[in-house]
Amino acid sequence: MNYVILDLEFNGTYSKRRHRFVNEIIEFGAVKLDEQLHIIDTFSQLVTPQISKKLNTHVSELTHLTIEQLNSSHKTFTHVYSRFKKFLGDSVLLSWGTSDVLVLMENCRYYMGDEQIPGLCRYCNLQIFCQDALRYTDRAHQMGLSGCAERVGIVTDTLSLHRALTDAELSAMCFQKLYDAELLEANTYDVDDEFYRRITFKKYNLYDIRDPLIDRKEMYFDCDRCGRRTHRKTKWHVKNKSFRARFRCAKCRREFEGRITFKKHFDYVEVDRRIVELKPPEPKEKDKSTGADAP
């Protein structure tokens, strides 16, 4: 079993033909590893854009590519993907996050009319694999490639990041450092209809407390000081994507606002709890003439 780690660079542009914005791929970069995780081949190819004749300023500054370089490659997406498909073969495809796979799907749909990616058999989200391997649990902030490299001791100062092949090579180095056969298998999916439903599923927050997807048993708080279960004093209300209510800890004799967010993923509901300290009421000013509290 071989592994191919893919990275793409793409240019956001407006398609007059489709009347919508398209992330047009402008560069493929990939490395192939064998079962012993040795790099046995590489793939690098610029793509001549067909939708736009200009590069987004942010993209050109990030990649240092010019439209002249892309045009000089004389290779359209269809031609480059045909070559990449042969390079991929029956290997497991890995990418840092799912954005590159979604963009690849978008380009296959635009140029070839395919709703799925031709030739793709198995896939692993390398970002999730590395986060699991490092026991990274910050759900609010996904780990970036450079951050992962720093955690495993890879120096990136001399690398020209944000070019497809370089980023693919850096991803491969992280993969080699963190390789775990069981963890890899747990994060690898057969590319079937369910895979496409999973990868295109858009996460959303749940706001209706009567929704059967919300488990009311999850709507509790333990005191973050003493660990004791607290008592809810007010009704739940929704504000800024979260359910909120006031809680009191009988042991610590403190009150706080508890906030719970329910986020629906493809096959589970993520529950996030936060405790927010309540500010004590500001003292009322005294009426200088009467000495009483001002109204």
Side-chain angles (χ1 to χ4, degrees):
M1 177 63 67
N2 293 333
Y3 307 100
V4 168
I5 301 179
L6 172 69
D7 187 84
L8 301 171
E9 301 297 336
F10 44 89
N11 182 48
T13 185
Y14 185 77
S15 169
K16 294 181 180 179
R17 188 178 76 178
R18 298 293 177 87
H19 305 290
R20 61 180 174 83
F21 281 92
V22 177
N23 292 304
E24 185 175 19
I25 295 173
I26 57 174
E27 185 179 27
F28 278 73
V31 294
K32 181 179 287 188
L33 295 81
D34 61 17
E35 290 185 346
Q36 287 72 44
L37 305 186
H38 299 135
I39 295 179
I40 56 175
D41 204 355
T42 62
F43 183 92
S44 180
Q45 181 63 63
L46 296 178
V47 182
T48 300
Q50 296 174 271
I51 302 174
S52 176
K53 303 303 179 184
K54 294 182 180 180
L55 278 184
N56 182 291
T57 302
H58 174 71
V59 172
S60 59
E61 290 177 351
L62 200 64
T63 63
H64 302 293
L65 286 170
T66 66
I67 194 67
E68 289 76 20
Q69 287 176 288
L70 299 178
N71 289 336
S72 66
S73 74
H74 302 295
K75 299 289 190 303
T76 64
F77 170 81
T78 305
H79 181 86
V80 174
Y81 184 71
S82 177
R83 291 181 56 196
F84 175 74
K85 181 181 171 184
K86 292 179 182 178
F87 176 84
L88 176 64
D90 59 357
S91 305
V92 176
L93 181 71
L94 300 93
S95 66
W96 191 266
T98 59
S99 60
D100 282 351
V101 175
L102 292 171
V103 169
L104 189 55
M105 288 175 61
E106 185 179 6
N107 281 252
C108 288
R109 185 183 309 116
Y110 187 92
Y111 288 112
M112 301 186 294
D114 285 313
E115 293 296 324
Q116 300 180 355
I117 301 172
L120 183 57
C121 300
R122 303 198 79 202
Y123 172 75
C124 174
N125 182 338
L126 185 56
Q127 183 182 47
I128 299 299
F129 168 83
C130 290
Q131 287 180 170
D132 288 349
L134 291 168
R135 295 185 173 88
Y136 182 82
T137 58
D138 186 356
R139 294 181 178 179
H141 303 91
Q142 288 193 315
M143 184 186 297
L145 177 56
S146 296
C148 179
E150 183 178 353
R151 285 171 180 262
V152 297
I154 299 173
V155 179
T156 62
D157 295 346
T158 59
L159 300 178
S160 300
L161 299 179
H162 306 299
R163 287 298 301 272
L165 182 57
T166 303
D167 286 357
E169 290 172 334
L170 181 57
S171 299
M173 286 187 272
C174 291
F175 180 54
Q176 291 167 328
K177 289 273 189 179
L178 296 171
Y179 179 77
D180 179 299
E182 290 185 7
L183 188 60
L184 177 64
E185 184 60 30
N187 282 281
T188 301
Y189 295 90
D190 291 330
V191 178
D192 51 17
D193 290 341
E194 181 178 346
F195 167 81
Y196 285 106
R197 288 195 297 271
R198 178 186 296 274
I199 202 169
T200 56
F201 183 84
K202 297 185 184 300
K203 297 176 285 187
Y204 62 90
N205 288 86
L206 305 175
Y207 299 112
D208 187 349
I209 202 168
R210 297 166 298 181
D211 193 316
L213 292 173
I214 291 180
D215 185 354
R216 295 293 294 272
K217 294 178 181 178
E218 297 282 357
M219 302 186 78
Y220 68 87
F221 278 90
D222 292 332
C223 178
D224 58 345
R225 292 182 183 175
C226 69
R228 185 171 179 170
R229 184 62 54 88
T230 61
H231 174 69
R232 179 164 58 86
K233 295 190 63 181
T234 63
K235 292 183 178 181
W236 290 105
H237 66 281
V238 177
K239 183 179 180 181
N240 295 337
K241 299 183 180 181
S242 63
F243 290 92
R244 303 184 182 197
R246 182 172 290 197
F247 287 79
R248 184 176 188 273
C249 176
K251 183 177 181 180
C252 298
R253 296 184 178 181
R254 63 187 279 250
E255 291 189 6
F256 60 84
E257 183 179 67
R259 301 178 182 178
I260 303 181
T261 301
F262 293 92
K263 182 172 287 187
K264 180 66 175 73
H265 295 249
F266 178 75
D267 49 8
Y268 69 96
V269 175
E270 176 186 346
V271 182
D272 181 59
R273 299 183 187 85
R274 286 202 305 148
I275 287 176
V276 178
E277 294 294 336
L278 296 172
K279 294 181 180 180
E282 296 182 2
K284 296 181 179 180
E285 296 181 1
K286 296 287 185 179
D287 189 316
K288 295 181 180 179
S289 61
T290 65
D293 289 340

